[in-house]
Amino acid sequence: MKKGRVPRTNFRRKKQLDESQEIELLESWIESQKPDPGSNPLSFPEPPIDAPVGRVGAGLYSPYAGSTRFDQLPISKNTKDGLREGKFTELTEIQRASLPHSLCGRDVLGAAKTGSGKTLAFVIPVLEKLYREKWSPEAGVGSIIISPTRELAGQLFDVLKIVGKYHCFSAGLLIGGRKEIELEKEKVNDLNILVCTPGRLLQHMDETPNFDCSQLQVLVLDEADRILDVGFKKTLNAIISQLPKRRQTFLFSATQTKSVQDLARLSLKDPEYISVHQESTTATPSQLQQIVMIVPLEQKLDMLWSFIKSHLKSRILVFLSSCKQVKFVFEAFKKLRPGIPLKCLHGRMKQDKRMGIYSEFCENRSVLFSTDVAARGLDFNKAVDWVVQVDCPEDVASYIHRVGRTARYHSGGRSVLFLMPSEMKMLEKLKEAKVPLQSIKPNAKRLQPVSGLLSALLVKYPDFQQLAQRAFITYLRSIYIQKDKEIFDIKSLPVDEFSASFGLPMTPKLRFLSRALKPKKLKSEQLLAESEKNMEEAGFELSNGQLSLSESEEEENNVHPRDVLFNDQQEARVIGADVPTTRVLKKKKLKINIHRPAGTRVVFDDEGNTLPPLARIAEIRRSDGTILLDKDKKDEFYRKMREEMKQVDKEDKLLEHQRRREKRTKEKMKLKKGRAEDNFEEDSEGEFSDSESEASRTRKHKKTKIYFDDDDGEGRKLRRLLS
Ligand SMILES: Nc1ncnc2c1ncn2[C@@H]1O[C@H](COP(=O)(O)OP(=O)(O)OP(=O)(O)O)[C@@H](O)[C@H]1O
């Protein structure tokens, strides 16, 4: 036993010695050959294949900026072995451009297309930094890698395990939704590298006793723009406030942020901005073929069904906008048996299930219906054939990340985007962002309508009806809450047809719309100012405020608070005297669309032709039919309106005053008359009846009280009469 122990100690000592020597060599190599700050290593000459690597003479080292292979880089043998095992030999562009900077200790902001190898671009320097710092397993947390989703964190962790296999660091995956939080709390202080989602990390910072990351060396934000956006803002700020400022920071994403504010929050020190595909003619991988089709809302499911039926041998990733839609489409299509396995993935699923579905989809051909939870970062083993975006992504960045699930690394891929006619603005935005799209007109003959089948399904399985209703409502809500109103216009959607396309017998009521459409109690000046502002914002262009919601909703939108003022009688008076007044029926519940843009009220001339509402103050009519308003005329128009309104207000007040006085006088008259009659009755009772009942006594007493009136002295007079 003893004999065996001695060589082991020797072996450990020798290993430590080797490591120290290696670290010394790496540091000298890195220091002597580091590229200038701001330089682009992609423009450096590639070292010849057979050129000596590392120390090439006394105090001389080979240049590493410009390296194209991992074995040419100043990285440890452990990392090189891990890379070899992962079959990574050649560097991708983002790796070539960023590694020379990150290895020499600089902060890096890296942007590169989806699937271009950003993960290794930060995993390698994380391992190297800790290695060169001789980070021991007992040293605590040395690096934190934050990722926006659990799946992505899981995937990063897998890459870290491969490349870091020969290092002796301890690493942990801290993501929400896993039960073993208590176990995590016990172990987290022993971990060197944390791969986590923001929420779970903060939970540990808040709850784990003695959680310590004061020695942190490297912080990584993967999908940085997502982590830095408002959704994670509070959590991230809380995390950052607990981290030491002296550290190395890497921010990577396919759609990068350069916002000064964001960088200030992260205390980056002269970061290297590395955007390898900035000069590229396209923002998406060149081997990705992208198609766009104009599909009306009510035909989306038909189109999706037809698409799936004609691609039964593919692996298809379908994006829908909400969990409920994913659930409905998945369940409904599953019942209809398209001839290919179907799967679904959304944020409401348990974590284990999510992970299971993700790996199943990687392995077999199938259709995966998903929300944006699968939009970023996930690497489906290079094997997604088609990305189908049934619902329009919220912005260009989201589009780029979604299509980026295919055509990864060197493999090809295809994507198709369904755009509704009202979403055409998205096309412009994609074009501006250098997304090459090929427009295809769907072949109507090959369209396989599915709504009839869905109707039958809803009859057969009544539970489905609720699922369909929820899906219908959440889709419309998702459109309603979208920020970019240029693209997402709920008013232009054919709601009834859409409902029918889900197989629903009736259009569900959209309560969220009604609630949001309640009239605001604004003063006339406020209303006026608001409409002025809206007009200014609209650039004085007239749009057709066309609405095709369900019948009740259409009715609700006939009046608009910016168009009307209410007096006590609920009579609506239209601002701008020419427009006919709208009488609001007292008994009818009034709901108003406060979001209708100003200037969209339809006005008729004497012959009943529709007139653009602002035509009479218009100066120029453009060729496209829109109208440009003259500023002076507009000011004059509003001045007049203000005066008119003041006048009308005055008249209203006067009228109201008069009405109240009349009412008071009438009441007094009635009162007097009543008293006189009562007195007469009293007298008569006394005269004609000897026995006075208790009830009548009470009544008399009450009346005495009621009629008492100190104001005019009448009461006293009456009391005297009664007593
Ligand atoms: N140097 C390399 N050699 C071979 N394959 C690589 C190399 N670097 C990365 N890959 C592979 O390329 C694929 C995409 O890599 P990665 O997931 O890091 O892309 P990404 O740029 O982070 O994508 P996204 O923006 O979608 O997150 C992965 O399958 C990865 O294994």
Side-chain angles (χ1 to χ4, degrees):
M1 282 289 283
K2 269 192 176 179
K3 250 186 169 182
R5 220 179 277 156
V6 177
R8 264 215 300 275
T9 320
N10 279 348
F11 175 75
R12 211 178 299 141
R13 260 201 217 122
K14 186 173 179 313
K15 197 173 171 245
Q16 278 171 357
L17 201 68
D18 289 348
E19 277 182 7
S20 297
Q21 281 171 352
E22 187 185 26
I23 290 169
E24 213 176 289
L25 179 136
L26 288 174
E27 290 201 319
S28 313
W29 185 3
I30 289 171
E31 192 52 34
S32 67
Q33 295 295 324
K34 65 181 177 192
D36 289 338
S39 62
N40 179 5
L42 283 176
S43 62
F44 285 52
E46 286 177 30
I49 298 220
D50 50 359
V53 170
R55 189 180 291 152
V56 289
L60 287 178
Y61 297 88
S62 62
Y64 59 86
S67 302
T68 53
R69 292 197 329 264
F70 288 112
D71 59 13
Q72 295 167 333
L73 287 174
I75 54 178
S76 60
K77 184 177 174 303
N78 291 345
T79 303
K80 281 182 181 165
D81 290 346
L83 286 166
R84 203 172 306 117
E85 197 147 312
K87 302 199 169 46
F88 302 115
T89 342
E90 306 266 326
L91 277 77
T92 65
E93 282 195 332
I94 183 68
Q95 293 157 5
R96 278 181 66 195
S98 66
L99 283 172
H101 289 293
S102 52
L103 286 172
C104 66
R106 295 176 187 148
D107 288 351
V108 170
L109 247 125
K113 291 179 189 178
T114 51
S116 57
K118 292 185 286 291
T119 315
L120 283 186
F122 58 77
V123 164
I124 295 172
V126 162
L127 291 168
E128 287 305 292
K129 174 78 179 175
L130 297 189
Y131 179 71
R132 294 203 313 268
E133 290 293 330
K134 299 187 181 160
W135 211 258
S136 66
E138 305 78 45
V141 179
S143 176
I144 295 177
I145 302 175
I146 305 179
S147 135
T149 65
R150 299 167 190 177
E151 285 78 8
L152 191 46
Q155 194 176 284
L156 285 180
F157 191 65
D158 290 342
V159 176
L160 181 71
K161 279 195 294 189
I162 296 171
V163 185
K165 184 176 173 184
Y166 296 98
H167 284 281
C168 57
F169 309 126
S170 53
L173 176 65
L174 312 179
I175 52 178
R178 284 152 52 109
K179 287 178 203 129
E180 53 271 32
I181 176 87
E182 293 309 319
L183 197 72
E184 264 180 34
K185 283 181 185 174
E186 281 170 29
K187 300 254 162 96
V188 72
N189 277 323
D190 299 330
L191 298 174
N192 300 140
I193 303 173
L194 309 181
V195 179
C196 45
T197 48
R200 190 57 150 225
L201 175 61
L202 190 61
Q203 192 180 357
H204 279 293
M205 285 177 158
D206 290 345
E207 295 176 11
T208 306
N210 309 322
F211 180 72
D212 181 20
C213 41
S214 58
Q215 299 305 309
L216 186 82
Q217 303 294 308
V218 194
L219 170 71
V220 181
L221 303 190
D222 188 22
E223 304 296 338
D225 57 335
R226 174 81 188 92
I227 293 178
L228 287 167
D229 86 9
V230 277
F232 285 120
K233 194 172 180 179
K234 272 190 189 164
T235 312
L236 190 71
N237 284 352
I239 292 172
I240 298 290
S241 69
Q242 299 191 44
L243 300 179
K245 283 211 166 77
R246 252 178 72 94
R247 58 163 197 259
Q248 200 178 359
T249 307
F250 302 140
L251 271 64
F252 279 88
S253 182
T255 44
Q256 192 54 285
T257 177
K258 258 194 188 184
S259 154
V260 178
Q261 269 183 346
D262 289 338
L263 305 187
R265 273 161 77 201
L266 291 168
S267 333
L268 296 191
K269 299 172 294 291
D270 306 322
E272 293 293 330
Y273 296 100
I274 293 160
S275 182
V276 289
H277 300 120
Q278 207 170 25
E279 304 307 318
S280 166
T281 49
T282 61
T284 43
S286 50
Q287 69 279 19
L288 171 65
Q289 188 194 345
Q290 300 168 76
I291 294 167
V292 61
M293 291 201 298
I294 307 303
V295 184
L297 179 59
E298 66 277 17
Q299 279 180 19
K300 277 187 181 183
L301 287 188
D302 295 342
M303 188 61 75
L304 177 62
W305 177 254
S306 314
F307 183 89
I308 293 173
K309 291 287 282 176
S310 52
H311 292 88
L312 295 177
K313 294 217 161 69
S314 305
R315 189 168 286 136
I316 306 168
L317 179 57
V318 177
F319 284 105
L320 292 151
S321 61
S322 69
C323 297
K324 295 204 169 105
Q325 261 180 294
V326 166
K327 271 191 214 165
F328 169 66
V329 179
F330 165 67
E331 295 290 350
F333 280 21
K334 202 166 73 173
K335 284 263 183 292
L336 298 176
R337 297 175 186 276
I340 181 172
L342 305 181
K343 297 180 169 50
C344 76
L345 191 72
H346 54 77
R348 295 267 166 90
M349 290 168 102
K350 291 230 166 82
Q351 190 51 35
D352 296 347
K353 202 168 173 198
R354 269 162 69 167
M355 293 287 203
I357 285 172
Y358 160 68
S359 13
E360 275 175 32
F361 181 65
C362 289
E363 278 154 29
N364 306 309
R365 79 179 164 91
S366 53
V367 180
L368 176 62
F369 300 100
S370 177
T371 55
D372 274 333
V373 75
R376 276 179 180 257
L378 286 188
D379 188 40
F380 295 101
N381 281 353
K382 308 169 193 168
V384 177
D385 302 300
W386 281 98
V387 169
V388 182
Q389 304 192 50
V390 175
D391 295 330
C392 181
E394 65 174 300
D395 50 27
V396 172
S398 174
Y399 173 93
I400 291 175
H401 285 282
R402 281 176 172 190
V403 294
R405 294 321 96 209
T406 183
R408 297 180 69 74
Y409 195 51
H410 289 318
S411 58
R414 284 182 284 183
S415 75
V416 56
L417 167 68
F418 295 176
L419 274 188
M420 295 190 288
S422 59
E423 292 168 339
M424 285 305 96
K425 195 81 192 165
M426 188 67 183
L427 267 188
E428 278 175 41
K429 298 196 175 192
L430 289 170
K431 226 181 227 174
E432 276 168 28
K434 300 199 282 188
V435 174
L437 278 157
Q438 186 191 348
S439 165
I440 284 187
K441 214 173 154 205
N443 184 349
K445 280 185 201 154
R446 291 184 65 187
L447 203 66
Q448 301 185 32
V450 79
S451 53
L453 301 176
L454 292 175
S455 301
L457 214 64
L458 261 53
V459 173
K460 193 170 173 198
Y461 305 98
D463 285 357
F464 263 46
Q465 191 140 331
Q466 221 180 13
L467 215 59
Q469 277 183 4
R470 286 196 189 134
F472 166 86
I473 292 171
T474 45
Y475 172 76
L476 290 173
R477 188 183 282 129
S478 77
I479 295 289
Y480 178 69
I481 59 173
Q482 285 288 359
K483 272 185 252 148
D484 194 339
K485 297 294 176 209
E486 280 188 322
I487 300 173
F488 302 100
D489 178 16
I490 184 120
K491 288 175 278 174
S492 63
L493 302 184
V495 176
D496 289 335
E497 290 85 341
F498 177 45
S499 153
S501 75
F502 273 42
L504 284 165
M506 268 165 45
T507 306
K509 191 156 171 50
L510 302 167
R511 266 195 236 129
F512 67 94
L513 266 185
S514 327
R515 222 180 303 135
L517 298 177
K518 273 186 188 155
K520 271 189 206 167
K521 284 196 173 173
L522 291 181
K523 287 189 175 171
S524 54
E525 287 88 344
Q526 272 175 290
L527 287 167
L528 201 59
E530 201 177 270
S531 39
E532 264 181 289
K533 199 176 139 222
N534 280 323
M535 284 173 67
E536 305 259 1
E537 278 173 4
F540 308 114
E541 284 187 6
L542 300 180
S543 63
N544 242 346
Q546 222 179 51
L547 191 79
S548 48
L549 300 179
S550 64
E551 215 177 300
S552 57
E553 304 264 340
E554 255 177 12
E555 249 176 42
E556 286 162 14
N557 287 284
N558 276 340
V559 273
H560 190 272
R562 283 189 288 258
D563 295 335
V564 296
L565 290 173
F566 299 101
N567 63 21
D568 284 350
Q569 279 81 44
Q570 283 279 74
E571 184 173 317
R573 191 170 43 253
V574 179
I575 304 174
D578 300 39
V579 197
T581 55
T582 310
R583 179 171 284 279
V584 181
L585 295 178
K586 265 186 182 175
K587 280 183 188 164
K588 198 166 175 183
K589 211 172 156 194
L590 180 74
K591 287 179 185 171
I592 287 169
N593 176 9
I594 59 165
H595 298 290
R596 183 172 125 179
T600 56
R601 165 168 285 271
V602 180
V603 184
F604 298 91
D605 67 13
D606 291 343
E607 277 134 39
N609 302 319
T610 51
L611 255 189
L614 303 170
R616 67 205 178 79
I617 51 165
E619 186 71 348
I620 303 161
R621 181 184 279 273
R622 291 175 177 157
S623 54
D624 61 359
T626 57
I627 284 171
L628 192 69
L629 302 181
D630 175 63
K631 189 168 181 339
D632 291 341
K633 275 195 169 188
K634 188 192 71 157
D635 290 345
E636 174 65 10
F637 170 70
Y638 280 119
R639 195 189 55 71
K640 262 194 191 164
M641 272 207 294
R642 271 191 211 102
E643 271 173 19
E644 274 171 24
M645 281 171 50
K646 266 187 199 161
Q647 187 57 33
V648 173
D649 264 358
K650 244 190 212 171
E651 283 169 17
D652 273 353
K653 274 183 192 156
L654 214 72
L655 266 171
E656 178 62 5
H657 189 65
Q658 230 172 335
R659 194 183 61 78
R660 281 205 192 133
R661 267 181 57 185
E662 272 170 21
K663 199 176 159 195
R664 261 215 310 270
T665 322
K666 258 188 204 166
E667 270 169 9
K668 274 184 194 164
M669 295 286 285
K670 210 168 138 191
L671 194 69
K672 275 183 193 168
K673 207 176 152 194
R675 281 171 192 158
E677 273 169 16
D678 258 14
N679 289 337
F680 173 70
E681 265 174 35
E682 191 86 26
D683 289 345
S684 318
E685 256 179 304
E687 205 179 316
F688 296 113
S689 151
D690 282 342
S691 61
E692 194 178 315
S693 71
E694 192 59 37
S696 66
R697 235 180 281 136
T698 321
R699 184 163 50 86
K700 270 181 241 161
H701 182 67
K702 270 187 183 162
K703 275 177 186 165
T704 312
K705 267 190 184 171
I706 291 166
Y707 294 154
F708 186 82
D709 184 350
D710 269 335
D711 281 353
D712 55 9
E714 284 291 316
R716 265 191 302 272
K717 197 173 151 196
L718 289 176
R719 209 157 42 145
R720 267 204 311 277
L721 272 171
L722 287 170
S723 59

